[in-house]
Amino acid sequence: MPAKDICLSRMPLVAIVDDDEAVREALSELLRAMDVACRTFDRAEAFMAEFEPDRFDCLITDVSMPGLSGIDLLRHQRSIGSTMPLIVITADTNPATRSRAIRCGAHAYLTKPIETEVLLQHLQSALRRTAFRSDAE
């Protein structure tokens, strides 16, 4: 289901934070095919430098990156009061890492390789959550 099928006042904007350029490009292409705008960042610090409340509708991040990890990014977003849904996409299959991400507020924790349909289901759920939150405000 294209994101435009969700009742939103504007095209959704998703942030992608991953140090792997090929992953960023693949996710960007997938989202654009769904009519979802995206902005990519090669590390958590770059995203944090451009973050503004309510600018992004969802964040997709890796866990293992140089500098701040995806878990650090999750913690930071929650510490500043952000309710933006965060989806973790990682090669890290450690159950402790998954538990930590979920405890820190991850909307979903998906391990690579990712099935496109599974990612799209979680993204649609996250965007519906954002749309519902915006309608309630």
Side-chain angles (χ1 to χ4, degrees):
M1 167 174 60
K4 63 185 175 188
D5 290 347
I6 297 172
C7 183
L8 295 173
S9 58
R10 61 177 172 76
M11 180 183 284
L13 178 60
V14 175
I16 299 169
V17 181
D18 198 306
D19 60 319
D20 185 328
E21 184 177 0
V23 171
R24 289 192 312 269
E25 287 179 10
L27 286 172
S28 294
E29 289 176 19
L30 175 64
L31 295 182
R32 287 187 188 111
M34 289 181 54
D35 293 326
V36 174
C38 61
R39 177 90 167 78
T40 62
F41 302 89
D42 62 356
R43 60 190 201 291
E45 295 87 347
F47 169 77
M48 291 166 52
E50 291 193 33
F51 176 77
E52 296 172 13
D54 301 321
R55 178 176 180 197
F56 297 99
D57 298 295
C58 184
L59 169 64
I60 298 174
T61 187
D62 190 7
V63 169
S64 300
M65 298 181 286
L68 293 176
S69 72
I71 301 293
D72 294 332
L73 182 54
L74 279 162
R75 286 184 180 130
H76 173 75
Q77 289 298 297
R78 294 309 177 236
S79 75
I80 63 171
S82 174
T83 58
M84 172 182 55
L86 295 108
I87 297 173
V88 175
I89 295 178
T90 183
D92 188 338
T93 60
N94 184 330
T97 306
R98 182 185 191 288
S99 292
R100 196 165 44 250
I102 298 299
R103 277 195 320 271
C104 289
H107 181 80
Y109 188 93
L110 308 174
T111 54
K112 298 174 185 174
I114 294 166
E115 292 183 35
T116 301
E117 280 303 311
V118 172
L119 172 60
L120 296 180
Q121 288 171 0
H122 286 288
L123 181 59
Q124 290 296 328
S125 170
L127 293 175
R128 277 193 295 275
R129 182 175 138 193
T130 300
F132 177 76
R133 187 181 73 235
S134 296
D135 289 345
E137 293 174 351

